Amino acid sequence: MYLNCHSFHSLRYGTIPLEELVQQAVACNVKAMALTDINTVTGIYDFVKACNEVGIKPIVGMELRFDGQLRYIALAKNRNGLGQMNRFLTDHNFDGTPLPFSAPRWEDVVVIYPLENIPDVLKENEYIGIRPEQLPKLFHAQWKALLHKMVILQPVVFRTKREFNLHRILRAIDINALLSKLTQEDVCKTSDVMIPLEQLLLPFTEYPEIIANTQKVIEDCNFEFDFKTPKNKKFYTQSRETDIALLTQLAFEGLEWRYGADNLVAKARVEKELKVIDELQFSGYFLITWDIIQYSNSCGFMHIGRGSGANSIVSYCLGITDICPIELDLYFERFLNLNRKTPPDFDIDWSWKERNTILEYIFKRYGADHVAFCGTNVEFKYRSIFREVGKVFGLPKEELDMLAKNPMALHETNTIVKYVQQYGMLLEKYPNQRSMHSCGIIISEEPITNYTPLEMPPKGFPIVLFDMHIAEDIGFEKFDILSQRGIGHIDDSVKLIQKNRGITVDIRNTALSKDEALCNTYLATGKTIGCFYIESPAMRGLLRRLNCDNYKILVAASSIIRPGVAQSGMMKEYIFRHNHPDKFEYFHEVFKEQLGETYGIMVYQEDVIKIALHYGGLPAADGDILRRAMSGKGRSKAALQKVKDNFFASCLQKGHPELLSQEIYRQIESFAGYSFCKAHSASYAVESYQSLYLKVHYPVEFMVAVINNQGGFYRTEVYVHEAKMSGATLHNPCVNKSDYETTLYGTDVYLGFMHLEGLETKLAQLIITEREAHGAFLSLENFINRIPIGIEGIQILIFIGAFRFTGQSKNQLLVIARLILVNFKPENRNLMLLQEPVKAYKLPVLERSAFEDAFDEIELLSFPVSCTPFDLLQTKYRGSVLVKDLISHHKKTIKMLAYLISRKHVPTKRGTMYFGTWIDNKGDYFDTVHFPDSLGQYPFLGGGCYLLLGTVEVDYHFPTVTITKMAKMPFIADPRYSNASEKQYTAHQQLREDVSMTHRAPYPQEHEINIPRQKMTP
């Protein structure tokens, strides 16, 4: 009898989590109920499952509202009815028109109007909802005549008084109003709760016709859904037979391309995989992915196919991936096996600049009615909760900042703050708004609106109203179309090399960029700034500790750097065994047989599965549960607990020592959600090596590409420094040489206008188009005549030196600019065919300090270009040790003068600690460790140069300095403000640092790892 129930998927309105709504219905003896969340079907599929489990008949629909006003409730009689509602709402979502007051003519939908919004004529499928408190109105003749069209309407929005208050808070958040300003129309009625069925029917006993009508609606609505059948597009061609025929043809063509004509091992594996793919009817999925790659190749785009798809030799032969699974011993069963019922995952990356072109092709090729992005629910999170809730209670911004930035223990204890905390905590994990999945695309066999309405976000691609987990539950597997700046680095580098040097680099040829001597030297010494995935301080340190001098070790490094592996102690143990292969024994024979390549250490997801199967003796099905749990896809804690119990029972039966089994399972658990499959690590390693190859052999072009793709781990300044270290001559932006992005002429690098703070993008683009159309600018006067610019924009360009080609000083240019612009009339711009010579002014000679340019640069770019930060120091002291000598100072106390690049925050039981990255005055990088005791007395004080005192620790070829004292060193006063002392140190504050945060616990020390290094026997 409940035809209008809301869950918390009625965003900023409903307060009841979906499962709890169904459980409440059970408690109230409800036999049938409808989920009608506002303008969405996000929860209907989980709702149907939950109802079926407890014997309640599920009815699905929507409550259709516009601008907060209820129009009507729509209930699907069947799947067709759901599609009709979805398409109706989609049309209005796309064109932004108000929902009409009357429902359209739907064939398979029941419509219920509230008493306040009844059309003049009711269609056969339309009813009037009458609430219990409205029954007295039925004594009037006008309503009695409509009894045959009335049904019981008892909305459900909240459960308790506290939840009603929560509902009011949600409504205030939604309409951006104070709680005290809410009206009755803004919130639900205080009676919108679920009550026992008998209690609900009691007021209607005098109106059996209304009860009968309600029962008829329930009987008419029979929405059933097949959760088991795949919903993705079935065939690429016309049938399963033609799909496998085409896939076989393409696979064997690719086999010859990749392996030549006579590789029997590869041929046998292709045949084996094709058989499984056909049996599972996944040929279409492979072919659609191949089709997308073909289009990408035709556009000249570079892509990276990664993830578990790289386990497949068919993927390799089709050009979807560039990882040879035979070379790396990647087994196909990890990717696809006969027990798997869902299609495989292909994760494919493009440059962030080219991804939209790929998306447009997919939507056009497979039809806008059949393609959409996966949605996602953005939940209320800690910071947003306190800001949103505090705002509706009327707290000022300063208090909101305090609540959002500090833990609850540090909050004030007044009444309002207590209310904010109390209701804020109720909201944690509630959905707040719908958004678009970053990369997941659905390609459907049926029109997608058969399953959900669509929304059109600002990015211009439609999204479904459910997330990836629901999509998977109902039979969809998404195609992950990703973007990353790392591919942009590689792609733009290749284009720059061709343009600048006339050299064509076939970077897709992995033989060229996988195992090259000079690259291996850079890799082993951590000279990888700018390279995808291997440039962070932690990764560079790991490469040095491993003396990583080949591609296969890089594959392992790409996995052991992950938090789960490092947290379990595996990373430290792997480093030890890699450097001391003679100082350990495999502590069980299974580990030697299965994990010999990684010294008996579990590094990849596959390794965990191998041990679970070969050591623990678990069946394959349990291994798959473990795998899915590790990848974050497992949603059943009960299933995982069952596997754990089975694991220990099986180990006991096999006679394994209990302590060993417990340690192995601890290591398995630590991987949850973090570790890579080996194919994923290999894909990352290939891209890292491609970046490295370009950095080693074409360093200037590579660093310019990194700068133009807006960097990676570090800020632009670091990559500009790296370009200088690579042999580039850096120039400030110039109106005749620079583009919006940074440009390259030989080894001369001209920074782009995009880096100038305060210069409008439109103006920067106009400078370039005008120059391309009518030639170089001849003078400042010529520039002003051709470009509509005010004095502020001119000053930015003058201060950065963009008119230095004129040979006039900045001071002279400023005087000229002001003289011209005082009487300049914009309407005269470009009217004179022959430019009259500008009156020559006799300008005074104004002296400039050699460092004024540096401070101009800091102000406009946030870093100096014409000199180094060290040149601006008051002191001439440069420290007692340089980076190149650190490795020979193990356990010695040293002094260094260094410029701060980045620091990483790590919480510990004793307080905050930091890892710092610096350069010395020769430009070389080194790393420091700052423990809480040291930081208490000698904290970081922002960007700049510091004098450091510390002890050198050399850990497996990698020196770090443990800091005991440090002090920020003073720069010279800004010479531009020699007569304004209050401004002499303002620009210094613009020097930046990169600060990253982590909430993980510190990695375990060697004595805490306790992984046996000796053989253990039963």
Side-chain angles (χ1 to χ4, degrees):
M1 295 296 172
Y2 285 93
L3 303 180
N4 186 209
C5 298
H6 299 88
S7 74
F8 62 7
H9 289 298
S10 287
L11 300 180
R12 301 181 177 183
Y13 191 93
T15 66
I16 312 175
L18 201 59
E19 289 183 5
E20 294 176 29
L21 176 66
V22 175
Q23 290 306 314
Q24 188 183 21
V26 172
C28 289
N29 199 30
V30 173
K31 303 302 179 188
M33 64 187 295
L35 182 68
T36 54
D37 283 317
I38 298 171
N39 295 350
T40 188
V41 297
T42 305
I44 65 169
Y45 297 103
D46 283 344
F47 172 73
V48 168
K49 280 189 169 183
C51 284
N52 288 340
E53 286 176 5
V54 294
I56 292 176
K57 179 178 181 178
I59 301 168
V60 302
M62 282 187 272
E63 182 176 288
L64 291 152
R65 287 178 175 247
F66 182 79
D67 203 18
Q69 294 182 338
L70 173 60
R71 296 291 197 253
Y72 30 83
I73 298 150
L75 305 175
K77 290 184 177 181
N78 47 42
R79 279 199 62 203
N80 289 337
L82 179 64
Q84 290 161 21
M85 290 189 297
N86 291 341
R87 282 182 275 282
F88 166 74
L89 186 56
T90 296
D91 290 343
H92 287 279
N93 286 343
F94 280 20
D95 60 27
T97 55
L99 292 174
F101 285 92
S102 297
R105 187 172 293 279
W106 281 322
E107 293 180 6
D108 298 298
V109 177
V110 173
V111 178
I112 302 171
Y113 290 96
L115 208 57
E116 298 79 17
N117 180 39
I118 303 173
D120 295 334
V121 178
L122 288 167
K123 305 180 190 81
E124 185 182 346
N125 64 320
E126 295 181 336
Y127 295 86
I128 301 167
I130 186 82
R131 301 167 66 106
E133 62 266 28
Q134 293 171 332
L135 285 173
K137 292 187 177 185
L138 300 190
F139 288 105
H140 294 282
Q142 71 177 99
W143 299 117
K144 277 189 177 179
L146 293 171
L147 274 177
H148 68 289
K149 277 291 188 178
M150 289 186 177
V151 295
I152 299 171
L153 183 61
Q154 174 60 43
V156 177
V157 178
F158 63 96
R159 289 174 290 188
T160 63
K161 182 180 178 181
R162 176 183 279 193
E163 278 193 9
F164 178 69
N165 291 335
L166 186 64
H167 163 77
R168 294 183 71 248
I169 289 169
L170 286 168
R171 297 305 302 130
I173 290 171
D174 189 50
I175 64 175
N176 195 26
L178 294 173
L179 273 174
S180 58
K181 299 292 185 182
L182 289 176
T183 66
Q184 285 187 349
E185 289 71 33
D186 294 325
V187 298
C188 72
K189 309 247 184 251
T190 54
S191 58
D192 286 358
V193 295
M194 186 176 285
I195 55 179
L197 187 59
E198 300 77 14
Q199 191 178 331
L200 172 64
L201 292 176
L202 192 60
F204 291 92
T205 51
E206 295 181 24
Y207 299 96
E209 193 172 4
I210 295 178
I211 296 175
N213 290 340
T214 309
Q215 191 59 45
K216 182 179 184 304
V217 168
I218 291 171
E219 290 169 1
D220 286 346
C221 293
N222 295 289
F223 179 84
E224 294 180 355
F225 192 82
D226 177 8
F227 287 90
K228 295 180 180 178
T229 305
K231 308 300 186 301
N232 283 59
K233 182 173 173 60
K234 289 182 181 177
F235 309 121
Y236 175 74
T237 58
Q238 300 302 317
S239 67
R240 173 182 173 182
E241 291 73 24
T242 51
D243 269 7
I244 189 60
L246 176 58
L247 184 62
T248 301
Q249 175 193 332
L250 294 170
F252 277 95
E253 288 173 1
L255 176 66
E256 187 165 347
W257 163 51
R258 293 290 198 184
Y259 295 99
D262 303 318
N263 192 317
L264 298 180
V265 173
K267 183 183 178 185
R269 176 150 174 170
V270 167
E271 290 171 345
K272 171 189 167 187
E273 288 193 16
L274 286 170
K275 184 180 178 186
V276 175
I277 292 167
D278 183 37
E279 285 187 41
L280 292 172
Q281 301 184 42
F282 290 157
S283 300
Y285 197 90
F286 275 78
L287 288 169
I288 290 170
T289 309
W290 166 82
D291 174 66
I292 296 167
I293 297 303
Q294 289 299 106
Y295 175 74
S296 173
N297 291 341
S298 73
C299 296
F301 295 167
M302 181 180 177
H303 77 276
I304 302 284
R306 58 179 176 83
S308 59
N311 285 274
S312 165
I313 197 171
V314 171
S315 304
Y316 183 54
C317 291
L318 263 57
I320 296 170
T321 64
D322 279 320
I323 305 297
C324 171
I326 295 174
E327 176 190 5
L328 290 176
D329 191 28
L330 305 176
Y331 57 100
F332 180 60
E333 289 74 14
R334 162 63 182 84
F335 175 54
L336 208 56
N337 58 69
L338 292 176
N339 293 322
R340 181 168 183 160
K341 303 304 179 189
T342 55
D345 291 331
F346 286 116
D347 297 340
I348 307 175
D349 291 313
W350 277 271
S351 165
W352 62 284
K353 297 178 180 179
E354 296 166 348
R355 177 177 180 246
N356 273 11
T357 305
I358 298 298
L359 293 174
E360 286 163 6
Y361 171 75
I362 294 170
F363 277 83
K364 184 177 178 182
R365 171 73 172 81
Y366 296 99
D369 291 340
H370 295 264
V371 186
F373 264 92
C374 237
T376 182
N377 282 322
V378 180
E379 297 174 339
F380 282 100
K381 299 283 172 53
Y382 186 89
R383 288 194 175 192
S384 68
I385 286 174
F386 288 124
R387 284 196 190 281
E388 298 276 21
V389 178
K391 192 160 56 172
V392 304
F393 276 98
L395 295 180
K397 183 181 182 302
E398 296 74 23
E399 286 193 57
L400 296 178
D401 289 342
M402 185 275 296
L403 293 175
K405 293 178 180 178
N406 290 297
M408 285 176 60
L410 298 180
H411 289 182
E412 293 182 24
T413 55
N414 61 57
T415 306
I416 297 297
V417 169
K418 284 184 177 177
Y419 279 132
V420 172
Q421 291 175 339
Q422 176 184 339
Y423 287 103
M425 288 301 94
L426 289 177
L427 279 181
E428 199 166 25
K429 298 297 182 183
Y430 270 45
N432 181 19
Q433 55 191 338
R434 281 186 293 274
S435 185
M436 186 170 81
H437 190 280
S438 59
C439 59
I441 286 180
I442 290 170
I443 303 179
S444 175
E445 177 68 20
E446 298 179 17
I448 288 190
T449 48
N450 283 0
Y451 307 97
T452 172
L454 302 174
E455 289 181 349
M456 185 66 78
K459 289 191 176 181
F461 295 107
I463 62 170
V464 302
L465 302 192
F466 45 70
D467 64 20
M468 58 180 283
H469 297 296
I470 294 173
E472 184 178 321
D473 280 348
I474 66 178
F476 283 111
E477 285 291 325
K478 58 184 171 40
F479 293 78
D480 283 333
I481 308 298
L482 303 108
S483 68
Q484 49 151 284
R485 297 188 185 276
I487 294 178
H489 299 168
I490 295 168
D491 205 28
D492 285 1
S493 295
V494 171
K495 290 171 184 172
L496 269 173
I497 294 162
Q498 176 65 50
K499 180 182 176 183
N500 196 46
R501 301 200 195 190
I503 297 172
T504 301
V505 179
D506 182 12
I507 199 64
R508 298 185 192 191
N509 178 3
T510 52
L512 180 73
S513 56
K514 195 183 280 185
D515 199 10
E516 198 261 355
L518 190 54
C519 290
N520 287 342
T521 302
Y522 274 59
L523 197 61
T525 51
K527 294 179 180 178
T528 55
I529 298 287
C531 298
F532 170 77
Y533 199 69
I534 56 172
E535 65 166 333
S536 71
M539 192 63 178
R540 289 187 295 106
L542 175 60
L543 295 174
R544 292 185 68 176
R545 287 182 175 97
L546 293 174
N547 193 28
C548 177
D549 60 357
N550 65 70
Y551 166 73
K552 286 198 173 182
I553 299 174
L554 179 59
V555 174
S558 298
S559 183
I560 64 174
I561 194 69
R562 300 289 288 178
V565 190
Q567 202 64 54
S568 69
M570 304 285 196
M571 181 171 77
K572 284 201 170 187
E573 187 64 17
Y574 181 92
I575 294 169
F576 173 84
R577 296 186 183 197
H578 177 78
N579 284 281
H580 303 292
D582 57 336
K583 291 186 178 179
F584 77 93
E585 297 176 345
Y586 291 95
F587 50 85
H588 193 278
E589 203 60 34
V590 167
F591 286 77
K592 185 174 184 179
E593 293 168 5
Q594 300 297 327
L595 307 181
E597 182 184 308
T598 55
Y599 314 109
I601 298 295
M602 288 184 275
V603 168
Y604 312 109
Q605 284 182 3
E606 290 89 339
D607 295 343
V608 177
I609 297 167
K610 284 178 185 177
I611 296 305
L613 297 177
H614 296 283
Y615 174 85
L618 293 182
D622 282 5
D624 192 54
I625 291 171
L626 273 176
R627 181 190 69 77
R628 292 179 71 76
M630 284 183 290
S631 62
K633 293 182 179 178
R635 300 174 76 189
S636 171
K637 290 184 179 178
L640 194 57
Q641 183 62 45
K642 185 179 177 184
V643 172
K644 181 176 182 178
D645 295 341
N646 291 345
F647 175 83
F648 283 109
S650 181
C651 289
L652 189 63
Q653 192 174 0
K654 281 175 165 279
H656 295 315
E658 186 179 353
L659 286 176
L660 176 60
S661 299
Q662 286 176 348
E663 170 59 24
I664 290 168
Y665 197 83
R666 180 191 72 80
Q667 295 171 15
I668 290 173
E669 281 188 314
S670 71
F671 272 57
Y674 293 108
S675 62
F676 280 178
C677 68
K678 188 176 183 181
H680 201 109
S681 294
S683 303
Y684 269 39
V686 165
E687 187 177 348
S688 300
Y689 214 112
Q690 287 172 328
S691 298
L692 182 63
Y693 180 87
L694 293 167
K695 177 183 172 68
V696 169
H697 294 284
Y698 308 98
V700 176
E701 288 85 356
F702 178 74
M703 293 319 304
V704 169
V706 173
I707 291 168
N708 284 339
N709 281 273
Q710 296 166 44
F713 185 87
Y714 305 97
R715 61 190 181 276
T716 299
E717 176 186 5
V718 179
Y719 301 115
V720 168
H721 166 74
E722 193 70 8
K724 284 182 183 176
M725 297 288 285
S726 301
T729 303
L730 263 293
H731 301 274
N732 285 319
C734 168
V735 294
N736 280 337
K737 290 279 193 178
S738 293
D739 289 338
Y740 185 70
E741 294 184 334
T742 296
T743 47
L744 179 62
Y745 305 90
T747 57
D748 287 306
V749 175
Y750 284 80
L751 292 174
F753 294 123
M754 65 186 286
H755 301 298
L756 282 176
E757 293 180 19
L759 189 71
E760 293 179 10
T761 301
K762 272 181 160 178
L763 182 59
Q765 299 287 7
L766 183 60
I767 293 170
I768 298 158
T769 54
E770 169 62 26
R771 187 181 72 210
E772 289 173 349
H774 300 108
F777 298 102
L778 305 176
S779 62
L780 176 61
E781 298 88 342
N782 177 253
F783 179 86
I784 293 172
N785 190 57
R786 290 163 61 180
I787 301 293
I789 189 170
I791 189 64
E792 294 84 3
I794 278 288
Q795 285 183 166
I796 289 171
L797 293 170
I798 289 173
F799 283 133
I800 203 61
F803 296 102
R804 56 191 178 277
F805 68 91
T806 64
Q808 295 167 304
S809 72
K810 290 181 182 181
N811 292 334
Q812 290 172 324
L813 289 166
L814 285 168
V815 171
I816 293 170
R818 289 188 176 119
L819 286 170
I820 293 172
L821 289 173
V822 163
N823 298 310
F824 188 81
K825 294 180 179 178
E827 62 268 23
N828 292 335
R829 181 174 280 117
N830 290 328
L831 291 181
M832 292 176 287
L833 291 173
L834 295 171
Q835 298 290 329
E836 296 180 11
V838 177
K839 181 180 177 182
Y841 300 100
K842 188 170 181 182
L843 301 171
V845 177
L846 300 170
E847 296 297 326
R848 277 178 67 87
S849 159
F851 293 119
E852 285 191 47
D853 286 343
F855 282 97
D856 285 339
E857 291 154 4
I858 291 171
E859 203 164 81
L860 295 170
L861 298 169
S862 79
F863 57 89
V865 175
S866 55
C867 67
T868 75
F870 295 95
D871 298 326
L872 300 177
L873 288 169
Q874 293 180 16
T875 180
K876 299 298 180 186
Y877 180 70
R878 294 296 180 263
S880 60
V881 174
L882 293 173
V883 170
K884 64 183 179 65
D885 302 317
L886 278 178
I887 204 158
S888 61
H889 283 71
H890 182 50
K891 297 295 183 183
K892 293 179 182 175
T893 299
I894 53 100
K895 269 187 188 177
M896 297 186 75
L897 191 75
Y899 181 63
L900 180 59
I901 298 298
S902 67
R903 55 187 166 108
K904 182 174 186 175
H905 164 279
V906 179
T908 72
K909 292 176 182 176
R910 291 170 48 208
T912 293
M913 69 178 290
Y914 279 98
F915 294 99
T917 299
W918 313 73
I919 56 171
D920 67 6
N921 72 305
K922 298 297 183 184
D924 294 321
Y925 300 88
F926 70 101
D927 294 87
T928 57
V929 182
H930 305 253
F931 288 105
D933 294 345
S934 165
L935 285 168
Q937 288 183 277
Y938 306 102
F940 285 94
L941 298 172
C945 292
Y946 288 72
L947 183 62
L948 306 172
L949 178 72
T951 304
V952 180
E953 304 285 345
V954 180
D955 182 35
Y956 300 110
H957 330 290
F958 177 56
T960 58
V961 183
T962 300
I963 299 301
T964 51
K965 294 182 181 180
M966 71 175 179
K968 190 173 180 181
M969 303 302 287
F971 284 118
I972 59 172
D974 187 340
R976 300 172 305 167
Y977 297 106
S978 56
N979 296 322
S981 58
E982 73 280 1
K983 291 186 177 182
Q984 286 185 345
Y985 293 93
T986 302
H988 305 63
Q989 307 307 313
Q990 292 181 244
L991 287 169
R992 296 178 184 169
E993 56 175 334
D994 295 317
V995 183
S996 58
M997 308 287 286
T998 180
H999 297 289
R1000 65 164 175 79
Y1003 295 146
Q1005 299 301 305
E1006 189 165 318
H1007 68 277
E1008 297 174 314
I1009 296 172
N1010 294 325
I1011 298 176
R1013 290 178 183 163
Q1014 290 79 38
K1015 188 172 184 178
M1016 294 184 70
T1017 55

